[in-house]
Amino acid sequence: MANKKINLNIPEVQSREQRLGTIIAWDGKASELSKQSAYERRGCEGKGKQCRLCEVKGPFTQGSVCSEQMVECQAGNIRDAVLIQHSPIGCGVGQIPYNSIYRNGLSLRNLPVENIRIICTNLDESDMVFGGVKKLKQSIKDAYERYNPKAIFLGTSCATGIIGEDMESVANQAEEELGIPIIPLTCEGFRSKHWSTGFDATQHGILRKIVRRNPKKQEDLINVINLWGSDVFTPMLAELGLRVNYVVDLATVEDLAQLSEATATVGFCYTLSSYMAAALEQEFNVPEIKAPQPYGFAGTDAWLREIARVTHREKLAEVYIQKEHERIKPKLEGLREKLKGVKGYVATGSAYAHGLITVLRELGVEVNGSLVFHHDPVYDSGDPKQDSLKFLIDNYDDVPSFSVSNRQQYQFYGLLKKTTPDFILIRHNGLAPLASRLGIPAAPLGDEHLAIGYEGMINLGEAVLDVLAHKKFHQDLKEHVKLPYTKWWLDQEDPYILAKKPEMLNEKIL
């Protein structure tokens, strides 16, 4: 894994496409993508070229998200810190939805509800010519005086990347003056073609500037890298005698500092946790749990057993696994009966989608199609046990229509038309209205921990039944709305036809 070594001595995180070979457009069977990814070879010295994926590159992008927004929802969600977006005001528009998400997340965790702490330097035309360092320095002082934070994060933007602002020097000077960590995060939108690099940028800054270098190990503390969902890990891992250290979202600076003191690190989704978990193992000797993700019986069993092996709690794990199997199976049988013959579709982030398809198939739901927003051929550990796509195929069969697209609505129409699901599971709700116009209800997974573990199978099954109860509304909607596409496009059978034949854009038929 020498060629994948994470370097915390440099201020800029390496992008996912450089580090992992990430792609954002592909179409075919899940088994074909898994085979082309050649996962087991990615961790081997000198063999990276054998694993490059052929990416279907479209002639335009209809809409997406950027790395800076992921920094907003990570660094901006640390409870006793402040994030300063060194950007034009337009980049700060994400503060509105992220404030709502932050408040809801605090409520789910029974924490005091408050507003998010994000400041924008509001760069203008003059700053683009003469530089915005003065505004940044003033914003750091204002943030310190207004909030008395334990740390201040500085997020870059496309604008600051274009003019080459020296964020590292400003951060070092301010840190010396204020005596708290000032952490620059390189997350310009054009730095990476997929927004998941923003997760890595935040985690890189935390690892460089906040995590304790001389940790005192806590043998019962386990890091859980997560988003802002409900607290499902505490009761699960308490069965093994472990305390949970939730990071990054909704954590405190002290929670982040003690990352190096934990006995192990886990995550609910390898897209999110890959970078930080691998770096904690490499730099701080905190083992990363290398196992399937905790979804469905097979994944959750393997995940718990690997945690137990690493933390020496094997007997406790076996007692818990047996108890949960006996408890869940009767409920699961009832849900399977109700969901017999139902077809589902998953449209979420990459590794998360693999887990959700697993749970739907445990419920007896047919899943013949899925859209993931990107694909990582490998995660940072390079360990095949973390190959979540291969685990899905090996244990729950293939997905015939498995597409990679970074939230392109014009493609999503064709994918749904081809697979004709009864409902969709979705994380980024911008695609849900299109599904509704096709008469397909969507279950927006606002609590991303809903499907985790044994109880997660019951939770997701009940959520699917609830969304199916509203299907008539969406079918009525379909009869009274018009899709914003030409008849020519509506008649196309291949959603990726424009990527394969971009010259069609110049034809009169469009």
Side-chain angles (χ1 to χ4, degrees):
M1 193 174 156
N3 61 330
K4 299 295 178 193
K5 184 176 174 63
I6 291 169
N7 187 357
L8 299 182
N9 295 319
I10 57 176
E12 300 177 355
V13 71
Q14 192 178 30
S15 72
R16 289 223 166 187
E17 48 267 48
Q18 292 175 307
R19 202 174 76 247
L20 307 177
T22 296
I23 62 168
I24 59 171
W26 190 90
D27 190 42
K29 292 182 179 180
S31 56
E32 293 171 352
L33 181 59
S34 178
K35 184 178 180 180
Q36 289 179 25
S37 296
Y39 191 100
E40 67 279 1
R41 297 202 299 264
R42 296 288 305 203
C44 300
E45 186 86 36
K47 292 188 178 181
K49 290 183 179 179
Q50 296 180 22
C51 310
R52 287 181 181 168
L53 289 173
C54 294
E55 190 169 22
V56 182
K57 297 183 179 180
F60 63 89
T61 296
Q62 195 176 29
S64 186
V65 180
C66 74
S67 295
E68 186 184 358
Q69 282 191 283
M70 297 304 100
V71 165
E72 279 185 88
C73 79
Q74 288 250 281
N77 275 14
I78 297 168
R79 286 186 281 147
D80 51 0
V82 174
L83 168 64
I84 297 175
Q85 291 179 271
H86 193 32
S87 68
I89 195 63
C91 296
V93 72
Q95 295 176 22
I96 299 168
Y98 286 129
N99 186 53
S100 174
I101 289 169
Y102 178 63
R103 292 175 63 89
N104 290 338
L106 292 169
S107 180
L108 280 172
R109 300 274 183 88
N110 296 314
L111 296 167
V113 177
E114 60 185 11
N115 287 329
I116 207 165
R117 296 183 179 92
I118 304 180
I119 291 173
C120 179
T121 56
N122 191 16
L123 296 176
D124 57 24
E125 292 90 341
S126 177
D127 299 315
M128 291 297 291
V129 176
F130 300 106
V133 167
K134 185 176 180 181
K135 279 187 175 179
L136 179 59
K137 289 180 177 179
Q138 184 61 51
S139 295
I140 294 172
K141 291 179 181 178
D142 292 343
Y144 185 75
E145 292 172 3
R146 186 179 303 171
Y147 298 112
N148 190 28
K150 300 287 176 55
I152 297 174
F153 293 90
L154 311 179
T156 60
S157 62
C158 292
T160 49
I162 290 169
I163 63 177
E165 291 282 74
D166 187 357
M167 306 282 282
E168 186 78 2
S169 295
V170 173
N172 290 339
Q173 181 182 347
E175 186 170 285
E176 188 174 333
E177 292 173 359
L178 301 178
I180 63 171
I182 310 293
I183 307 145
L185 308 175
T186 53
C187 54
E188 301 95 317
F190 55 71
R191 177 174 291 275
S192 175
K193 63 187 176 186
H194 196 266
W195 63 77
S196 52
T197 294
F199 294 140
D200 306 335
T202 302
Q203 294 169 10
H204 186 77
I206 291 167
L207 290 157
R208 289 182 67 227
K209 293 276 194 170
I210 293 180
V211 178
R212 285 196 189 98
R213 290 302 188 265
N214 299 302
K216 182 179 179 181
K217 293 293 182 178
Q218 304 180 49
E219 65 88 24
D220 65 338
L221 185 70
I222 185 165
N223 299 320
V224 177
I225 302 172
N226 75 118
L227 292 174
W228 46 80
S230 56
D231 182 7
V232 302
F233 288 97
T234 294
M236 288 176 65
L237 295 173
E239 297 279 347
L240 275 64
L242 294 168
R243 293 181 296 116
V244 168
N245 182 36
Y246 273 122
V247 293
V248 169
D249 291 44
L250 310 182
T252 64
V253 172
E254 174 57 28
D255 294 333
L256 301 174
Q258 68 175 354
L259 277 162
S260 56
E261 300 178 355
T263 189
T265 302
V266 299
F268 85 101
C269 165
Y270 287 132
T271 295
L272 176 69
S273 64
S274 173
Y275 189 84
M276 177 170 273
L280 285 169
E281 180 170 297
Q282 174 187 291
E283 297 292 327
F284 302 98
N285 297 315
V286 179
E288 178 184 5
I289 299 301
K290 300 176 185 70
Q293 298 175 133
Y295 296 90
F297 283 118
T300 306
D301 290 353
W303 184 78
L304 285 166
R305 285 181 173 130
E306 182 61 12
I307 293 173
R309 187 192 68 79
V310 170
T311 62
H312 312 295
R313 289 163 165 81
E314 288 90 342
K315 290 183 180 179
L316 289 172
E318 292 305 322
V319 170
Y320 177 54
I321 289 169
Q322 182 178 350
K323 180 179 71 173
E324 286 296 277
H325 276 238
E326 293 172 357
R327 181 180 73 86
I328 290 298
K329 282 183 177 178
K331 297 181 182 180
L332 195 58
E333 288 303 318
L335 286 168
R336 285 171 177 166
E337 185 64 30
K338 293 176 182 178
L339 292 168
K340 190 178 294 183
V342 172
K343 292 172 61 177
Y345 191 96
V346 175
T348 70
S350 179
Y352 188 47
H354 307 157
L356 291 174
I357 295 169
T358 290
V359 178
L360 288 179
R361 286 183 167 168
E362 289 275 15
L363 291 162
V365 174
E366 180 185 348
V367 183
N368 60 6
S370 178
L371 167 67
V372 298
F373 302 141
H374 80 290
H375 174 70
D376 298 318
V378 69
Y379 302 113
D380 286 284
S381 72
D383 194 304
K385 290 192 291 292
Q386 291 186 319
D387 188 345
S388 52
L389 181 59
K390 188 173 187 298
F391 179 82
L392 165 65
I393 297 162
D394 289 348
N395 290 272
Y396 296 90
D397 209 354
D398 205 352
V399 182
S401 177
F402 194 86
S403 304
V404 181
S405 173
N406 61 335
R407 291 173 58 180
Q408 301 305 304
Q409 289 211 15
Y410 73 98
Q411 291 175 337
F412 194 44
Y413 161 77
L415 295 172
L416 292 178
K417 184 178 72 169
K418 181 167 61 173
T419 53
T420 63
D422 295 306
F423 71 92
I424 65 171
L425 298 180
I426 197 161
R427 274 282 296 154
H428 295 262
N429 294 341
L431 296 176
L434 177 63
S436 293
R437 291 181 174 192
L438 294 171
I440 304 168
L445 301 176
D447 180 356
E448 68 279 350
H449 297 165
L450 182 75
I452 286 171
Y454 303 111
E455 188 65 26
M457 290 183 273
I458 307 304
N459 292 340
L460 191 62
E462 291 174 347
V464 171
L465 289 175
D466 184 60
V467 75
L468 289 174
H470 298 87
K471 189 168 184 178
K472 180 63 166 61
F473 167 79
H474 296 271
Q475 290 173 334
D476 289 344
L477 186 66
K478 176 184 177 181
E479 300 301 319
H480 294 87
V481 298
K482 183 179 179 181
L483 292 170
Y485 302 113
T486 64
K487 184 179 183 303
W488 176 84
W489 182 249
L490 295 175
D491 291 339
Q492 291 299 315
E493 296 298 325
D494 184 357
Y496 290 83
I497 189 67
L498 293 179
K500 297 170 183 175
K501 299 180 179 180
E503 66 275 8
M504 281 186 166
L505 285 172
N506 298 320
E507 296 179 4
K508 292 182 179 180
I509 194 167
L510 294 177

